[in-house]
Amino acid sequence: MRRLGLGALALLLLAAWPGAAAGQGGSTIQHVTRENGHTLRVRVHGSVEFTDDDRGIRSVSRGGRVTLEESFRGGPHRRAEFWSTASGELRRAYYLDGEAHAFDADARAWVERTLEGMARESAVGAERRVARLRQRGGVPAVLGYVRDIRSDGAKRAYYVALLRSGGLSGAEVASVLEDAGRRIDSDGETRYVLKTALDQGLRGREAWAGFFRAAGGIDSDGEARYLLAAAAAGAPLDDDAVRRDFFRATGEIDSDGERRYVLTAVLRRSGVGPALAADVLRSAGGISSDGEKAYVLVQVPRALLAHRAVGDAYLAAAEGIGSDGERSRVLTHLARSRP
């Protein structure tokens, strides 16, 4: 049977995972989701601690109670309750179609599915879950777990937790970033994952290649510009392969203004060499706006324009400028670079 609404319920039920209060001071958290004849209710009074595998309840605070309830139109009605006795002993009860029923294998399977589904869709506890999955099956095990998550926000949390867990090879970092680029629909959430990777420090061609492939797949020009401009400061763009991947991703930016921002960020790097400057100019040639294109061209250091490859790329870009005023400006900049 299709299970609905678990993501929203998870964020409520697991808001302090594990061992912290889901409801402080005797307060109650409850939520109801209804869709297509399916109803799922969760009610938490007090605080709850879950098992390490997220498939069971380890303890409930004294006076607290957890209720899980699910029904389908024309189908079974299930309810499970967990509470703590005065001595602190965990008790449970299960009801099927309104009648008390043994907590049998079917009941346990339903409770485990419900709790595990909520845990999967929850961003809380991601670090602990990622560590457990990595220990069992490495990075592929974590990515396989994320594959079944619906919420972009939850996916982002797992990718970030994995990147921050440390000890990843360049190939593993690339696989994480490319997986995030494929599976997260939200450009903002994808940008968060990629920026986390930048902040952690990307090392090696493979990691940078994965970063640029994921960045190049972002639809939002603004989000792509943010990432590529940030990468421009620290990426090893003297490496031919890394530089090629960088400009391929930059070429996916349709907005003239956003591409201009990225290209000028490259030119602000210290020690820009002729090969990098020539690639900047070739990318600038794809800018439609005369003003944005001219802005990039006049930022090229005059000393670099003495190199033939840079000068040729500069003239090729300038030829695409239709405005007399802007063309005059860029040609004056070129002329002043010559002895």
Side-chain angles (χ1 to χ4, degrees):
M1 294 182 180
R2 192 158 66 100
R3 306 176 61 76
L4 305 169
L6 294 177
L9 292 172
L11 293 175
L12 289 171
L13 180 58
L14 308 179
W17 182 292
Q24 299 285 350
S27 62
T28 299
I29 292 174
Q30 54 188 339
H31 190 77
V32 180
T33 298
R34 295 185 179 90
E35 187 175 349
N36 298 327
H38 169 270
T39 302
L40 183 60
R41 297 180 176 87
V42 173
R43 184 176 186 273
V44 181
H45 180 73
S47 60
V48 58
E49 183 177 358
F50 296 85
T51 57
D52 290 338
D53 63 2
D54 305 324
R55 293 167 62 86
I57 293 178
R58 177 174 290 152
S59 66
V60 179
S61 60
R62 291 186 182 183
R65 182 177 293 263
V66 177
T67 302
L68 310 175
E69 191 170 5
E70 183 179 52
S71 63
F72 294 86
R73 185 185 300 124
H77 179 278
R78 305 174 188 268
R79 187 172 90 252
E81 297 186 1
F82 300 83
W83 69 95
S84 180
T85 65
S87 62
E89 180 184 2
L90 179 67
R91 306 295 292 272
R92 66 189 182 187
Y94 177 67
Y95 302 87
L96 183 62
D97 293 328
E99 300 290 334
H101 193 279
F103 209 94
D104 56 14
D106 181 66
R108 285 195 298 273
W110 172 71
V111 168
E112 288 175 356
R113 287 196 308 271
T114 301
L115 293 176
E116 187 177 33
M118 289 189 294
R120 186 182 297 275
E121 291 294 329
S122 172
V124 185
E127 295 85 358
R128 178 177 58 87
R129 215 163 290 123
V130 163
R132 187 176 70 236
L133 289 165
R134 275 193 74 182
Q135 186 175 26
R136 291 178 181 175
V139 170
V142 181
L143 299 184
Y145 185 88
V146 175
R147 195 168 298 129
D148 295 326
I149 296 175
R150 296 187 297 272
S151 162
D152 280 346
K155 291 175 189 175
R156 180 258 301 161
Y158 286 103
Y159 289 124
V160 167
L162 180 53
L163 290 169
R164 289 176 176 168
S165 65
L168 300 180
S169 68
E172 287 174 327
V173 170
S175 70
V176 173
L177 300 182
E178 291 181 52
D179 200 74
R182 285 192 303 268
R183 301 195 183 283
I184 298 179
D185 293 325
S186 164
D187 290 334
E189 299 290 12
T190 303
R191 184 258 302 163
Y192 193 101
V193 174
L194 297 185
K195 184 57 166 62
T196 297
L198 276 182
D199 292 342
Q200 293 293 114
L202 294 173
R203 296 174 182 85
R205 286 181 175 180
E206 288 180 300
W208 281 109
F211 176 89
F212 290 130
R213 279 194 288 270
I218 292 178
D219 291 329
S220 166
D221 287 340
E223 297 289 12
R225 179 267 300 165
Y226 174 89
L227 288 167
L228 293 172
L237 297 180
D238 290 335
D239 183 301
D240 291 343
V242 175
R243 188 169 67 253
R244 182 176 60 250
D245 291 337
F246 173 85
F247 283 104
R248 183 181 294 120
T250 301
E252 295 296 323
I253 297 178
D254 294 323
S255 164
D256 290 338
E258 302 293 16
R259 189 186 294 199
R260 181 265 301 164
Y261 190 101
V262 174
L263 296 179
T264 52
V266 175
L267 293 173
R268 285 195 296 270
R269 286 167 54 107
S270 61
V272 175
L276 181 54
D279 280 341
V280 167
L281 291 166
R282 282 188 279 270
S283 184
I287 294 177
S288 299
S289 164
D290 289 342
E292 299 289 11
K293 184 183 296 186
Y295 187 94
V296 176
L297 269 58
V298 298
Q299 302 305 310
V300 177
R302 292 192 177 98
L304 290 173
L305 293 172
H307 292 267
R308 181 170 181 176
V310 179
D312 289 348
Y314 190 96
L315 286 172
E319 286 177 0
I321 297 177
S323 164
D324 292 339
E326 296 294 0
R327 188 187 303 112
S328 175
R329 183 159 72 105
V330 301
L331 292 178
T332 298
H333 180 72
L334 176 63
R336 287 175 178 172
S337 70
R338 293 173 175 171

